[in-house]
């Protein structure tokens, strides 16, 4: 690909280097003028124009809020740089679509294995604040960038379809994992059924709250900016809380293959939940609060199902860096689910304590 042509499309000239650890898009840093260039994964995101429209609208809303409380809008939310033609992304060709952001300096990202106790608390604060700032965002103007993204029963049904197609021939090798899904699929509807019944509200949510989707201040460690806004859509706060904790609560990386290292740490739960609730306790409903403990197992289960499906499909969705990478990820998530099942009563009492204490 002609990188210079892409840079010219944005009217900049820069040295471009691969950057970051995402599973979906390709990210590059641009030097010396500081930008982040991203190739949007059009296999995953079928309509980049609508996706960028969402990001433009959401960041405009956040910018107004940040200015209103006296924050720095160039630091605390993403700034999209338009192309020379005034577009929000540059289409090199049908499959190679790029966007450019201002690089947010003096920040760091934290990968799941490197997280400290302070990072975990601050991640909770960062994602909780994001949820609060979007509480009055007009959800009806958002496009659904991936249909049924957190529809867990649909994810399970899609896995079974992949097993029937068995494109890679791997389905027979994963009978044990498929048995686990069958045995535990009862959890899949716990949030979507509550939404359908009108018990749990739909809000504007991030939908991909891994700790490496926050930029933290390099010096103070405080959460500066929530990034990776491709999946900001109407959804449930329970998926954001659960997704944050399946990463922040785990003692190992999401793809750790040695399952003896994979545990769910209830102290990490206390920290993330404390941070999250310090921002959101006044907006969450009692039905949402009730489901917070089980949401962690629900999202770990959903991700296990998605990784297993991708393994069976022949590794076509998530970036895979080694043999059986997706299978390792799936087993890791199911291992977490098992421990979470035992620990849920403990999580419930921690939440009650936090809410009584006022969540410091
Ligand atoms: P993916 O969707 O592939 O996960 P992300 O949008 O999360 O991609 O970006 C990948 C990495 O690039 C992040 O983890 C972060 O380190 C870095 N990054 C992204 N946007 C910015 C930005 N505006 N300023 C500084 N770093 C950024
Ligand atoms: C993907 O892009 P990234 O790495 O932040 C995925 C998430 C998964 C995550 C698992 C659009 O997120 O849903 O939880 O990998 N994003 C998409 O690591 O599918
Ligand atoms: Mg990311």
């Amino acid at each position: 690909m002609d990188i210079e042509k892409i840079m010219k499309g944005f009217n900049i000239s820069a040295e471009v280097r691969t950057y970051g650890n995402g599973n979906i898009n390709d990210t590059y840093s641009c030097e010396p003028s500081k930008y982040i260039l991203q190739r949007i994964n059009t296999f995953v995101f079928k309509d980049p124009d609508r996706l960028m429209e969402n990001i433009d609208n959401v960041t405009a809303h956040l910018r107004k809020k940040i200015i209103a409380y006296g924050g720095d809008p160039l630091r605390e939310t993403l700034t999209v740089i338009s192309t020379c033609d005034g577009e929000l992304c540059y289409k090199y060709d049908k499959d190679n679509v790029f966007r450019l952001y201002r690089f947010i300096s003096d920040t760091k990202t934290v990968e799941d294995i490197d997280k400290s106790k302070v990072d975990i608390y601050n991640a909770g604060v960062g994602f909780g604040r994001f949820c609060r700032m979007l509480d009055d965002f007009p959800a009806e103007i958002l496009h659904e960038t991936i249909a049924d993204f957190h529809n867990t029963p649909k994810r399970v049904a899609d896995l079974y379809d992949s097993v029937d197609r068995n494109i890679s021939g791997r389905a027979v090798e994963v009978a044990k994992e498929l048995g686990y899904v069958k045995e535990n699929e009862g959890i899949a509807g716990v949030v979507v059924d509550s939404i359908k019944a009108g018990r749990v509200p739909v809000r504007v949510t991030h939908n991909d709250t891994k700790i490496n989707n926050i930029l933290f201040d390099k010096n103070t460690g405080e959460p500066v900016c929530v990034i990776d806004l491709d999946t900001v859509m109407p959804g449930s706060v329970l998926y954001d809380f659960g997704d944050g904790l399946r990463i922040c609560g785990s003692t190992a990386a999401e793809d750790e293959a040695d399952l003896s290292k994979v545990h769910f740490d209830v102290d990490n739960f206390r920290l993330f939940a404390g941070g999250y609730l310090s921002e959101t306790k006044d907006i969450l409903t009692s039905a949402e609060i009730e489901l917070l403990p089980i949401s962690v197992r629900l999202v770990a289960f959903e991700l296990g199902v998605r990784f297993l499906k991708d393994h069976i499909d022949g590794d076509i969705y998530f970036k895979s860096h080694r043999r059986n990478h997706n299978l390792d990820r799936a087993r890791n998530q199911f291992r977490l689910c098992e421990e979470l099942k035992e620990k849920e009563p403990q999580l419930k009492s921690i939440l009650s304590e936090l809410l009584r204490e006022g969540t410091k």
Side-chain angles (χ1 to χ4, degrees):
M1 228 175 314
D2 183 351
I3 286 284
E4 234 171 81
K5 188 173 165 203
I6 299 163
M7 295 285 94
K8 266 203 192 126
F10 289 102
N11 199 20
I12 62 166
S13 79
E15 286 269 307
V16 167
R17 256 187 235 138
T18 327
Y19 196 78
N21 281 316
N23 278 336
I24 303 294
N25 297 311
D26 299 326
T27 302
Y28 307 89
S29 68
C30 304
E31 300 277 349
S33 44
K34 294 222 153 196
Y35 297 103
I36 283 282
L37 176 73
Q38 278 182 327
R39 178 176 169 273
I40 301 172
N41 182 330
T42 48
F43 174 71
V44 170
F45 300 106
K46 306 287 183 208
D47 192 338
D49 288 316
R50 289 182 149 209
L51 178 148
M52 289 310 295
E53 204 180 303
N54 275 3
I55 295 182
D56 197 38
N57 280 323
V58 166
T59 52
H61 180 92
L62 293 172
R63 205 167 295 123
K64 268 194 232 147
K65 292 254 156 149
I66 294 162
I67 291 169
Y69 68 61
D72 179 352
L74 293 176
R75 214 170 138 66
E76 293 169 44
T77 190
L78 289 171
T79 307
V80 178
I81 311 286
S82 300
T83 68
C84 300
D85 303 330
E87 302 290 334
L88 297 171
C89 54
Y90 177 80
K91 298 192 184 81
Y92 184 84
D93 58 34
K94 188 169 74 40
D95 298 318
N96 291 290
V97 180
F98 290 84
R99 65 172 164 226
L100 195 70
Y101 290 125
R102 262 180 75 100
F103 187 95
I104 303 178
S105 302
D106 299 318
T107 58
K108 58 169 187 180
T109 31
V110 174
E111 292 304 325
D112 43 9
I113 26 165
D114 304 324
K115 59 193 189 289
S116 69
K117 297 284 177 197
V118 175
D119 295 331
I120 292 170
Y121 177 80
N122 282 330
V125 173
F127 286 124
R129 188 173 296 157
F130 184 83
C131 170
R132 184 170 52 74
M133 290 207 287
L134 290 175
D135 195 36
D136 58 347
F137 182 90
E140 63 284 358
I141 70 169
L142 285 180
H143 308 289
E144 206 180 11
T145 54
I146 300 179
D148 290 313
F149 190 62
H150 280 307
N151 182 342
T152 315
K154 172 87 171 34
R155 294 290 190 180
V156 174
D158 289 350
L159 166 67
Y160 296 155
D161 283 349
S162 285
V163 172
D164 290 343
R165 283 196 305 275
N166 197 11
I167 286 170
S168 66
R170 290 171 170 171
V172 277
E173 298 161 17
V174 293
K176 189 165 160 235
E177 289 72 22
L178 288 169
Y180 184 83
V181 175
K182 198 87 224 123
E183 229 170 82
N184 290 278
E185 65 182 20
I187 194 177
V190 71
V191 169
V192 292
D193 292 348
S194 300
I195 293 175
K196 268 189 216 140
R199 285 194 298 274
V200 162
V202 169
R203 304 175 182 279
V204 174
T205 47
H206 183 277
N207 296 306
D208 189 2
T209 50
K210 289 201 311 198
I211 194 165
N212 71 2
N213 284 331
I214 294 195
L215 301 178
F216 297 92
D217 189 290
K218 214 186 225 164
N219 302 309
T220 66
E222 276 169 26
V224 173
C225 180
V226 171
I227 59 169
D228 207 342
L229 304 180
D230 297 327
T231 50
V232 176
M233 289 183 276
S236 167
V237 75
L238 291 155
Y239 280 98
D240 277 5
F241 183 83
D243 206 3
L245 266 160
R246 78 177 176 88
I247 297 288
C248 278
S250 177
T251 54
E254 176 189 60
D255 61 355
E256 174 59 61
D258 178 352
L259 298 186
S260 69
K261 293 186 180 157
V262 182
H263 298 288
F264 190 82
D265 183 332
V266 294
D267 292 333
N268 290 358
F269 177 87
R270 184 188 294 277
L271 288 166
F272 185 94
Y276 200 85
L277 289 170
S278 70
E279 293 284 336
T280 56
K281 63 178 183 309
D282 297 331
I283 57 175
L284 297 188
T285 66
S286 53
E288 286 173 319
I289 289 172
E290 183 72 22
L291 290 171
L292 288 176
I294 200 173
S295 74
V296 190
R297 176 156 60 99
L298 170 70
V299 186
F301 180 73
E302 180 182 286
L303 264 299
V305 165
R306 289 179 62 195
F307 291 139
L308 186 58
K309 172 179 157 48
D310 201 30
H311 176 73
I312 293 169
D313 289 345
D315 307 314
I316 56 173
Y317 186 97
F318 296 103
K319 283 184 185 163
S320 160
H321 305 294
R322 58 176 193 247
R323 202 174 148 263
N324 288 344
H325 202 166
N326 276 307
L327 182 58
D328 288 342
R329 288 171 173 144
R331 288 177 173 153
N332 176 308
Q333 294 301 292
F334 294 149
R335 165 83 192 88
L336 266 191
C337 286
E338 276 309 281
E339 205 167 304
L340 278 158
K341 229 189 252 177
E342 276 166 40
K343 292 187 170 167
E344 253 149 49
Q346 254 176 293
L347 306 189
K348 270 194 184 142
S349 54
I350 291 172
L351 267 185
S352 311
E353 276 170 39
L354 285 172
L355 290 164
R356 263 199 315 273
E357 284 168 11
T359 66
K360 271 185 290 60

